[in-house]
Amino acid sequence: MLVTDPAPVIELEGAAFGYDDRTIVSSLDLTVRRGEVVAVLGPNGSGKSTLVKGLLGLSELHAGSARVLGHEVGSPGARAGIGYVPQRHEVEWGFPINVYRTVLSGRTGLIGWFKRPKKKDHAAAAEALRLVHMEEFASRPIEELSGGQRQRVLIARALAQDTRVLLLDEPTSSLDIRSRDDVTAMLAAQRRPDRLRSLVLIEPACYDVARGGRGVERHISAMAQVFAVADDPSVDGREFFRRFAAGMGAPDPEVDDGTCDAVAARIRATPAP
């Protein structure tokens, strides 16, 4: 496991997020340190999207405090500190733009509106494409890409921003198994000691984390309950599933012991940097 920087990049203390007079998710206490990989788990409707929007400054902070890189959420400093990978269905893939320009658009906040990108901006976009193995598709229109390729482009766009935090909203959702593994490998590669970028993955279910969360160190439910079983070798696969289901308010899942053990082992595995 990589040694993380003790400086926190995300700090939530009694945070509650919502819209107007309606609070959607509350009592959130969370500290994410530089270099950590954290998965936020929860079924549909549990408040995951509201939490994402809260970190991006798009939903309202109703109570407590929330900071990104020491800045209050919603402030320019906080927004500049997060590279965001949205769900694919939130993107207009019919827009007439190619892969390279899409990735380069991730640097708009650094370049400024109506200004021409500089050499360093083109270099960052090219490096991001290299990291996700999409260099050969640079001139291809985004509407011609497959689902897995589109996900790579979204990740590259976030990487081009060169932020300390990557916030990924269901990065493996709706992908086939091969594409999921490809995305997993790309995310695992971000944990190099010289990079120390924090990853926060928003996932709907344990299975997605098992396949897409290789190297995940902490699993946190939408109710902000910390599942420390990933670091406790005495907890077997069946007990992991029991705790996960209890945290989600669901009955003990009917899964055979072999599958439970395999999933628990996958989650606990941290790839070598």
PDB file of all heavy atoms in Angstrom, residues 87 158 195 214 244 265:
ATOM      1  N   GLN A  87     -20.962  10.623 -15.234  1.00  0.00           N
ATOM      2  CA  GLN A  87     -21.499   9.435 -15.883  1.00  0.00           C
ATOM      3  C   GLN A  87     -21.638   9.718 -17.377  1.00  0.00           C
ATOM      4  O   GLN A  87     -21.935  10.833 -17.789  1.00  0.00           O
ATOM      5  CB  GLN A  87     -22.843   9.062 -15.283  1.00  0.00           C
ATOM      6  CG  GLN A  87     -22.757   8.661 -13.817  1.00  0.00           C
ATOM      7  CD  GLN A  87     -24.079   8.163 -13.282  1.00  0.00           C
ATOM      8  OE1 GLN A  87     -24.808   7.421 -13.938  1.00  0.00           O
ATOM      9  NE2 GLN A  87     -24.412   8.586 -12.074  1.00  0.00           N
ATOM     10  N   ALA A 158     -10.329  14.617 -17.379  1.00  0.00           N
ATOM     11  CA  ALA A 158     -10.097  14.964 -15.972  1.00  0.00           C
ATOM     12  C   ALA A 158      -8.608  14.961 -15.653  1.00  0.00           C
ATOM     13  O   ALA A 158      -8.114  15.833 -14.928  1.00  0.00           O
ATOM     14  CB  ALA A 158     -10.847  13.998 -15.065  1.00  0.00           C
ATOM     15  N   ARG A 195       2.901  10.618  -8.024  1.00  0.00           N
ATOM     16  CA  ARG A 195       1.695  11.344  -8.412  1.00  0.00           C
ATOM     17  C   ARG A 195       0.830  11.669  -7.195  1.00  0.00           C
ATOM     18  O   ARG A 195       0.341  12.768  -7.041  1.00  0.00           O
ATOM     19  CB  ARG A 195       0.911  10.502  -9.432  1.00  0.00           C
ATOM     20  CG  ARG A 195      -0.206  11.262 -10.103  1.00  0.00           C
ATOM     21  CD  ARG A 195      -0.727  10.499 -11.309  1.00  0.00           C
ATOM     22  NE  ARG A 195       0.214  10.547 -12.422  1.00  0.00           N
ATOM     23  CZ  ARG A 195       0.511   9.514 -13.177  1.00  0.00           C
ATOM     24  NH1 ARG A 195      -0.023   8.347 -12.927  1.00  0.00           N
ATOM     25  NH2 ARG A 195       1.355   9.641 -14.173  1.00  0.00           N
ATOM     26  N   ARG A 214     -10.078  -1.808  -7.661  1.00  0.00           N
ATOM     27  CA  ARG A 214      -8.827  -2.436  -7.280  1.00  0.00           C
ATOM     28  C   ARG A 214      -7.953  -1.414  -6.557  1.00  0.00           C
ATOM     29  O   ARG A 214      -7.692  -0.328  -7.064  1.00  0.00           O
ATOM     30  CB  ARG A 214      -8.112  -2.924  -8.539  1.00  0.00           C
ATOM     31  CG  ARG A 214      -7.070  -4.007  -8.282  1.00  0.00           C
ATOM     32  CD  ARG A 214      -6.392  -4.392  -9.571  1.00  0.00           C
ATOM     33  NE  ARG A 214      -7.320  -4.727 -10.619  1.00  0.00           N
ATOM     34  CZ  ARG A 214      -6.956  -4.852 -11.894  1.00  0.00           C
ATOM     35  NH1 ARG A 214      -5.717  -4.647 -12.247  1.00  0.00           N
ATOM     36  NH2 ARG A 214      -7.852  -5.171 -12.815  1.00  0.00           N
ATOM     37  N   PHE A 244     -21.701  -5.199   4.639  1.00  0.00           N
ATOM     38  CA  PHE A 244     -22.077  -4.296   3.562  1.00  0.00           C
ATOM     39  C   PHE A 244     -23.596  -4.216   3.439  1.00  0.00           C
ATOM     40  O   PHE A 244     -24.172  -3.140   3.345  1.00  0.00           O
ATOM     41  CB  PHE A 244     -21.482  -4.779   2.236  1.00  0.00           C
ATOM     42  CG  PHE A 244     -21.969  -3.997   1.047  1.00  0.00           C
ATOM     43  CD1 PHE A 244     -21.437  -2.753   0.760  1.00  0.00           C
ATOM     44  CD2 PHE A 244     -22.961  -4.503   0.233  1.00  0.00           C
ATOM     45  CE1 PHE A 244     -21.885  -2.030  -0.319  1.00  0.00           C
ATOM     46  CE2 PHE A 244     -23.419  -3.779  -0.849  1.00  0.00           C
ATOM     47  CZ  PHE A 244     -22.878  -2.545  -1.130  1.00  0.00           C
ATOM     48  N   ALA A 265     -11.341 -10.713  -1.636  1.00  0.00           N
ATOM     49  CA  ALA A 265      -9.918 -10.721  -1.977  1.00  0.00           C
ATOM     50  C   ALA A 265      -9.601  -9.668  -3.022  1.00  0.00           C
ATOM     51  O   ALA A 265      -8.558  -9.002  -2.961  1.00  0.00           O
ATOM     52  CB  ALA A 265      -9.521 -12.107  -2.489  1.00  0.00           C
TER      53      ALA A 265
END
